[in-house]
Amino acid sequence: MPKKYWLMKCEESECTFNELKERPGSVGHWRGVRNYQARNFLRDEMAKGDLVLFYQSNCETPGVGGVAEIARTGYPDPSAFDTSSRYFDEKSNPDEPRWFSVDVRWKRPLKRFVPLSDLKAAAELSEMKVVQRGQRLSIQPVTKAEFDLVCKLGGRA
DNA sequence: GCCAACGTTGGC
DNA sequence: GCCAACGTTGGC
């Protein structure tokens, strides 16, 4: 199975690149995805070793700040069963999990943060969902060419 | 804070 | 199964 490439959005309030920079190799639990299309990617499509563009949303300058890899593939999202979690889903049932998590390992920051405006300015990236208006999907497949170009824009091919 | 775009819910 | 109302995302 060839390696796949993804873009995963994280709100700035959930994780910051500065924190991750100081913890190379650290593993994050990807919790709280409550969208069926994104769920299907987590559950069915992601494979260990797939590479991830780490995107920060909902902040002053959204964009891609680093690269991660899938460290553990889809497993039921514990936060769906945790009544104290903001992601608790009362309709979710442990016997028939509805929501899934993956774990990602932080690999490296890009030398240069690649803001969304730069992604939009690159003609070769016009097919990326993240540059398209109204596209809110928090986990998106990207092509190898797109992945490589974003890394290159970030100062490291 | 605004609001466009989209997903989900629920009445019928 | 339609679709209006509502809630959320997320750029600006």
Side-chain angles (χ1 to χ4, degrees):
Chain A
M1 183 89 75
K3 188 176 283 193
K4 297 201 201 71
Y5 300 87
W6 306 94
L7 179 144
M8 297 175 79
K9 291 184 192 172
C10 188
E11 296 194 14
E12 190 181 35
S13 57
E14 302 273 322
C15 60
T16 72
F17 293 124
N18 284 336
E19 282 174 28
L20 291 169
K21 252 181 223 175
E22 292 160 14
R23 296 186 297 146
S26 62
V27 170
H29 309 288
W30 212 272
R31 305 265 154 93
V33 171
R34 297 292 180 264
N35 168 283
Y36 286 103
Q37 211 181 337
R39 186 279 310 268
N40 292 346
F41 289 137
L42 293 171
R43 188 188 58 186
D44 306 330
E45 300 285 332
M46 286 178 162
K48 198 170 176 178
D50 283 359
L51 293 176
V52 175
L53 295 173
F54 217 137
Y55 181 91
Q56 207 156 80
S57 65
N58 239 321
C59 52
E60 191 175 348
T61 309
V64 175
V67 174
E69 70 179 344
I70 302 299
R72 181 184 173 195
T73 53
Y75 60 95
D77 184 342
S79 69
F81 313 122
D82 176 1
T83 53
S84 68
S85 168
R86 63 180 276 218
Y87 300 120
F88 175 66
D89 176 9
E90 59 179 5
K91 294 179 191 160
S92 192
N93 169 4
D95 294 330
E96 204 178 332
R98 178 188 300 205
W99 305 117
F100 283 75
S101 289
V102 296
D103 291 347
V104 301
R105 181 175 297 108
W106 180 247
K107 282 177 77 78
R108 53 183 158 80
L110 297 176
K111 274 184 192 156
R112 191 179 81 82
F113 180 82
V114 183
L116 177 61
S117 55
D118 284 13
L119 300 179
K120 286 183 169 174
E124 304 93 318
L125 300 179
S126 62
E127 296 294 312
M128 287 184 81
K129 287 191 168 45
V130 73
V131 305
Q132 288 163 18
R133 180 184 176 80
Q135 180 53 256
R136 304 181 307 182
L137 192 59
S138 63
I139 295 175
Q140 310 177 357
V142 303
T143 66
K144 181 173 194 310
E146 289 163 348
F147 182 90
D148 288 343
L149 182 55
V150 174
C151 289
K152 195 175 161 191
L153 291 173
R156 183 151 170 186

